């Protein structure tokens, strides 16, 4: 793995920021094309508002094989009022995906964020009924149409001490996770069901604790026969010391996940540059190096089925709103710049994906 990582970083350095930036999109193979040669899908998160930009629509259509709604399938938008479901926004995304020949996966059903106020106010019995109705209605609406769902999002405590002390845990107990997965499976038996989590990629002690808590949960679910088909690693990475920048222990963790007979999805990949110097070439080289190192760690794992970046163009990144740079400059965390032109990060990704390896098609529920 280390030799492969060094090769990828060397290729990025040889290309240089200016060369990578100058490459026109049509001159290079697409991310989805390179991923498909390895038996993978390449995906991106999008919103309806973002797709109003013709350039971004074209970029997503050319580079991706799958989209995931960034916010359109979260509870506060779908059922803002009890019993009144509005699928207009996610249906529009699905129509776009179908028109472009892309898949769309579901994100997310049970999360401690973006909940309507009325859900937060429910006592335990009513909260359980609301969850059952919501999962049954939403997954049922898309039955047979979405290959996979992030059923439970971020269930592990940030410090890795166990399950997150969310309203779900406090009012329904730890069984809420198995119940949510069972309800989703009942609503669409063909969909691959996923538990999605962040902070599992790095080499620090906090990450190790969180991994162990996550593995404990997964083993319990497997022992009980709860329907679960894959795990999602969000992979919000950092090009500085504030988060994961090295991934020496990640391959062994992936093998532990695979040993549980679970597929592995990278669901929200980006690279935060908020603490790097302002100079764009330096920032872009550092971001590209993290992409290269991360992909060198995950791509050899046979159970890896999907890589999704949380956006494709820097103009759409969530980081500028939620983790802005102190100097006020926009972040550059994604493969393409504000003008949808490829950067050093795109070159690093392409270098990591080449040459294509002979991989099995894996779970048809995820890869179809």
């Amino acid at each position: 793995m280390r030799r492969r990582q060094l090769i990828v970083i060397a290729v990025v350095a040889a290309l240089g920021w200016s060369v990578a930036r100058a490459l026109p999109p049509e001159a290079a193979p697409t991310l989805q094309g390179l991923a498909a040669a390895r038996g993978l899908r390449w995906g991106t998160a999008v919103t309806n508002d973002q797709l109003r930009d013709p350039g971004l629509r074209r970029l997503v259509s050319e580079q991706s094989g799958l989209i995931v709604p960034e916010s359109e399938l979260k509870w506060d938008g779908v059922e803002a009022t009890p019993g009144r479901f509005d699928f207009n926004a996610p249906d529009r995304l699905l129509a776009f995906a179908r028109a472009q020949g892309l898949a769309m996966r579901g994100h997310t059903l049970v999360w401690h964020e973006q909940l309507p106020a009325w859900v937060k106010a429910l006592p335990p019995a009513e909260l359980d009924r609301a969850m059952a109705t919501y999962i049954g209605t939403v997954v049922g609406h898309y039955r047979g149409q979405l290959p996979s769902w992030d059923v439970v999002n971020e269930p592990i405590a940030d410090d890795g001490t166990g399950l997150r002390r969310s309203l779900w845990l406090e009012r329904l107990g730890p069984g809420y996770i198995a119940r949510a997965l069972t309800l989703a499976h009942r609503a669409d038996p063909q969909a691959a069901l996923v538990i999605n989590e962040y902070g599992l990629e790095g080499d620090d002690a906090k990450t190790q604790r969180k991994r162990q808590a996550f593995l404990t949960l997964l083993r319990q679910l497997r022992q009980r026969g709860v329907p679960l088909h894959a795990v999602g690693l969000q992979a919000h990475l950092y090009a500085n010391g504030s988060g994961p920048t090295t991934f020496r222990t990640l391959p062994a963790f992936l093998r532990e996940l695979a040993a549980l007979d679970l597929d592995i999805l990278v669901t929200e990949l980006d690279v935060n540059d908020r603490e790097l110097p302002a100079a764009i070439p330096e920032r872009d080289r550092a971001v590209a190096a993290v992409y290269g190192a991360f992909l060198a760690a995950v791509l050899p794992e046979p159970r890896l089925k999907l890589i999704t970046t949380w956006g494709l163009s820097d103009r759409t990144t969530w980081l500028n709103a939620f983790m802005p740079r102190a100097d006020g400059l926009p972040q550059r965390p994604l493969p393409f710049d504000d003008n949808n032109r490829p950067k050093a990060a795109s070159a690093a990704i392409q270098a990591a994906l080449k040459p294509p390896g002979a991989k099995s098609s894996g779970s048809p529920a995820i890869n179809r």
Side-chain angles (χ1 to χ4, degrees):
M1 189 278 288
R2 285 192 172 188
R3 181 175 181 273
R4 171 68 171 159
Q5 177 176 326
L6 290 172
I7 291 172
V8 169
I9 294 172
V11 170
V12 175
L15 283 171
W17 171 80
S18 59
V19 175
R21 187 181 182 207
L23 287 172
E26 64 272 17
T30 67
L31 301 181
Q32 168 57 22
L34 291 168
R38 303 182 68 107
L40 304 172
R41 274 195 189 273
W42 191 277
T44 184
V46 293
T47 69
N48 283 308
D49 285 345
Q50 293 166 5
L51 290 176
R52 292 176 182 172
D53 174 2
L56 186 64
R57 288 175 66 92
R58 184 167 54 252
L59 183 69
V60 170
S61 300
E62 291 173 350
Q63 296 292 332
S64 306
L66 173 146
I67 63 170
V68 56
E70 187 171 317
S71 58
E72 280 83 348
L73 269 174
K74 289 170 180 172
W75 200 328
D76 59 354
V78 175
E79 193 189 9
T81 303
R84 297 184 62 179
F85 290 84
D86 183 358
F87 293 105
N88 178 63
D91 282 355
R92 283 162 53 202
L93 282 179
L94 182 57
F96 164 79
R98 286 175 168 168
Q100 303 302 320
L102 311 178
M104 185 173 98
R105 64 186 307 265
H107 173 83
T108 179
L109 294 169
V110 177
W111 190 29
H112 60 281
E113 299 285 354
Q114 291 192 239
L115 291 171
W118 67 268
V119 172
K120 297 178 184 179
L122 294 175
E126 293 182 29
L127 181 63
D128 180 75
R129 284 194 293 272
M131 181 178 74
T133 299
Y134 183 77
I135 292 175
T137 302
V138 176
V139 178
H141 180 81
Y142 294 104
R143 183 184 177 107
Q145 301 179 77
L146 305 189
S148 63
W149 278 96
D150 290 334
V151 179
V152 180
N153 199 44
E154 301 173 0
I156 303 299
D158 292 339
D159 61 4
T161 55
L163 294 180
R164 179 184 296 278
R165 302 298 303 181
S166 65
L167 85 162
W168 301 109
L169 181 65
E170 291 173 349
R171 297 182 200 174
L172 302 184
Y176 84 89
I177 297 172
R179 177 150 168 75
L181 289 162
T182 300
L183 289 165
H185 182 66
R186 188 181 302 161
D188 188 353
Q190 300 305 310
L193 307 183
V194 183
I195 296 179
N196 194 44
E197 188 56 84
Y198 77 93
L200 299 172
E201 298 83 18
D203 296 319
D204 58 286
K206 179 181 175 181
T207 296
Q208 303 306 315
R209 291 194 301 272
K210 195 163 187 177
R211 285 178 183 172
Q212 291 308 309
F214 192 52
L215 286 167
T216 296
L217 169 63
L218 297 176
R219 288 168 182 145
Q220 292 170 347
L221 294 171
R222 300 309 264 166
Q223 290 167 2
R224 295 174 54 190
V226 175
L228 176 65
H229 308 101
V231 295
L233 307 184
Q234 292 184 14
H236 291 298
L237 311 177
Y238 290 74
N240 53 60
S242 295
T245 56
T246 63
F247 313 99
R248 294 183 300 274
T249 60
L250 182 54
F253 176 57
L254 299 183
R255 289 193 293 272
E256 290 186 273
L257 296 174
L260 295 172
D261 193 24
L262 294 169
D263 283 338
I264 298 163
L265 317 181
V266 174
T267 55
E268 304 183 21
L269 176 61
D270 55 19
V271 180
N272 189 316
D273 75 6
R274 67 184 305 214
E275 295 181 11
L276 292 180
I280 287 177
E282 182 176 347
R283 277 201 277 158
D284 281 5
R285 282 194 294 268
V287 166
V290 175
Y291 272 109
F294 175 75
L295 292 173
V298 301
L299 283 171
E301 172 50 55
R303 295 301 294 261
L304 178 69
K305 305 302 177 186
L306 170 71
I307 301 173
T308 299
T309 46
W310 208 241
L312 274 178
S313 169
D314 288 336
R315 72 167 60 186
T316 68
T317 180
W318 67 290
L319 291 170
N320 288 331
F322 291 90
M323 295 186 181
R325 289 175 56 94
D327 58 15
L329 294 173
Q331 289 216 42
R332 297 175 60 85
L334 293 168
F336 296 84
D337 70 11
D338 282 346
N339 295 310
N340 301 330
R341 296 175 300 191
K343 301 160 27 190
S346 182
I349 294 167
Q350 291 184 17
L353 290 172
K354 293 178 182 177
K359 287 198 172 188
S360 64
S361 60
S363 169
I366 294 176
N367 288 285
R368 70 183 181 211

